[in-house]
Amino acid sequence: MSATLYVIPGSHPSMAARLMLERKGVDYKRRDLMPVISKGVVRAAGFPRNTVPALKLDGQKIQGSVRIARELDRLRPEPPLLPGDAERRSAVEAAEAWGDETLQSLTRRILWNGIKRDHSSIGTYGEGAKLGIPISVATKTAAPIIAAAVRFNKASDDNVRADLAALPGVLDRIDDWIEEGVLGGEDVNAADLQIGTSVRLLMTMQDIRPAIERRPAGELAMRVVPDFPGTIAPVFPAAWLEPLREAEPATSPS
Ligand SMILES: N[C@@H](CCC(=O)N[C@@H](CS)C(=O)NCC(=O)O)C(=O)O
């Protein structure tokens, strides 16, 4: 199989696609792209839409983390990314769809609002990436990219304050799926990869990590992606974080 995966460093669905290829044992070339600029590169490479992850596999163009998961399962069934049992499979697909449509966007909004507050953080997500220019140069010239990404992703202050308030409920939902065995089983499934990569990216933000790391969702994320490059120092107003602090699990059992 000849495979080239187009990614943005720090992109959670890109990380999910990388992990899918690794899990399937498919060797691939990785093309690291700068955010925003990626849109033109991906279109120029012949993909119908402008997002990453985008995969060229033996000449076939597959775009989107869910489609990549399905196509890899079709072409290389072992190890499967979906359970064989129909009922379990549809539960995993529902969790995966929520991860793709809801959790990914919430994560992107919080991330870009955090990067807007500390431009220097953008370079930390490029650790280990080959962008064609030194990370230090990319970081110094990133202001227009950050402004565009905040706009494209609707990462306004109002939206992100609401996202942070909604986060405890989002994490409860993931914890429930883990309890029910939809997520976090012995064999990593497509929804574990879809959701675990978003949660892990949220954990790179120092304001947010304490609200996640001692939850089952945090343990799942660390298991799925032990190392996710990047960090954002505390940047959000304390009032925005109150709902998270109130929902943090106690340090020791009472
Ligand atoms: N739900 C899609 C969304 C992909 C998506 O929106 N990717 C973002 C990166 S996380 C992107 O390509 N953004 C373009 C940009 O940042 O310029 C998937 O899972 O593939």
Side-chain angles (χ1 to χ4, degrees), residues 2-221:
S2 145
T4 304
L5 182 68
Y6 295 75
V7 305
I8 295 174
S11 150
H12 37 329
S14 297
M15 181 61 87
R18 287 171 61 176
L19 295 169
M20 287 170 203
L21 287 162
E22 281 161 28
R23 194 162 162 69
K24 294 286 185 181
V26 176
D27 284 334
Y28 67 98
K29 286 198 202 94
R30 200 180 78 212
R31 289 253 353 241
D32 295 322
L33 306 173
M34 296 268 279
V36 181
I37 291 163
S38 59
K39 292 176 190 283
V41 178
V42 166
R43 288 307 298 271
F47 289 93
R49 287 177 288 112
N50 60 12
T51 56
V52 297
L55 177 66
K56 275 191 189 163
L57 196 59
D58 292 334
Q60 196 192 342
K61 297 186 183 77
I62 313 159
Q63 201 165 21
S65 52
V66 173
R67 275 208 61 217
I68 291 172
R70 290 303 166 280
E71 201 53 24
L72 286 176
D73 258 358
R74 194 178 70 79
L75 295 169
R76 190 168 283 197
E78 293 299 326
L81 289 166
L82 288 176
D85 170 77
E87 201 176 319
R88 290 200 55 228
R89 182 184 173 111
S90 64
V92 170
E93 282 174 327
E96 182 194 36
W98 174 83
D100 179 40
E101 288 151 22
T102 304
L103 181 62
Q104 261 191 31
S105 307
L106 170 141
T107 302
R108 259 191 294 273
R109 286 191 294 271
I110 299 176
L111 180 87
W112 280 112
N113 193 285
I115 292 176
K116 177 188 84 171
R117 288 162 190 277
D118 177 4
H119 282 199
S120 70
S121 63
I122 196 168
T124 66
Y125 290 90
E127 194 189 296
K130 294 193 185 105
L131 290 166
I133 53 169
I135 297 287
S136 56
V137 176
T139 305
K140 283 199 191 97
T141 54
I145 287 179
I146 295 170
V150 166
R151 212 172 46 247
F152 290 144
N153 291 298
K154 301 186 170 57
S156 65
D157 286 357
D158 284 349
N159 286 349
V160 169
R161 186 168 189 178
D163 286 333
L164 290 169
L167 196 51
V170 162
L171 295 167
D172 284 345
R173 182 172 196 156
I174 299 169
D175 287 351
D176 288 346
W177 272 324
I178 294 171
E179 168 114 27
E180 291 160 19
V182 176
L183 301 176
E186 202 175 312
D187 296 322
V188 170
N189 66 39
D192 289 318
L193 294 176
Q194 183 64 248
I195 291 174
T197 47
S198 284
V199 174
R200 186 67 183 84
L201 181 55
L202 286 167
M203 289 174 77
T204 64
M205 293 176 247
Q206 291 176 30
D207 276 328
I208 297 174
R209 189 175 175 122
I212 305 182
E213 63 190 347
R214 282 179 285 114
R215 281 175 170 262
E219 285 165 27
L220 172 70

